[in-house]
Amino acid sequence: IGSVPIYLGAENIDKFIPAEKSVIRVDDFKSLQDLASFINYLDENDEAYLEYLAWRTALKGGKPKLLDSFKANFHKVSDTHW
C-alpha cells in the first residue's frame, strides 16, 4: 500500500510536501505518547490511514506549488559546493 513519513524538521515543510496529509508532523503532537497513540490509531483504522496515501492518486500531475518551488530554488542547490 505505502508508507507515511513521520517528519521532524523545518517548519516550512508545507512548501515541499505534495499534500497536507502526506506526512505526519511530530510537531503537531503535544508529546511523543500522543504521536504514538495517533500512529496506533492509523494502524487500526485503514480508512484514516488511506487518507495519508490519497494524494498519490489525486495529484498525478504533481503539486504546482511544489514544482514551482523546485524550479525557483534548484539553482541554489546545484550551485552549492559539498
Side-chain angles (χ1 to χ4, degrees):
I1 291 180
S3 60
V4 179
I6 299 173
Y7 179 79
L8 176 64
E11 293 180 14
N12 67 344
I13 188 63
D14 290 334
K15 292 181 181 180
F16 303 101
I17 59 174
E20 181 180 344
K21 284 192 171 182
S22 60
V23 301
I24 297 169
R25 294 172 194 82
V26 173
D27 291 339
D28 286 348
F29 299 89
K30 292 181 181 181
S31 69
L32 291 179
Q33 185 171 353
D34 288 347
L35 172 61
S37 294
F38 183 70
I39 292 168
N40 285 331
Y41 166 78
L42 291 179
D43 184 44
E44 296 171 0
N45 295 280
D46 291 343
E47 188 174 324
Y49 182 76
L50 290 174
E51 289 178 13
Y52 282 85
L53 302 176
W55 67 269
R56 294 178 183 203
T57 55
L59 296 176
K60 289 181 182 177
K63 181 178 180 184
K65 185 176 177 183
L66 176 63
L67 296 175
D68 290 345
S69 178
F70 281 153
K71 289 176 186 175
N73 294 300
F74 179 75
H75 71 280
K76 294 176 186 176
V77 174
S78 62
D79 292 342
T80 303
H81 297 286
W82 301 92

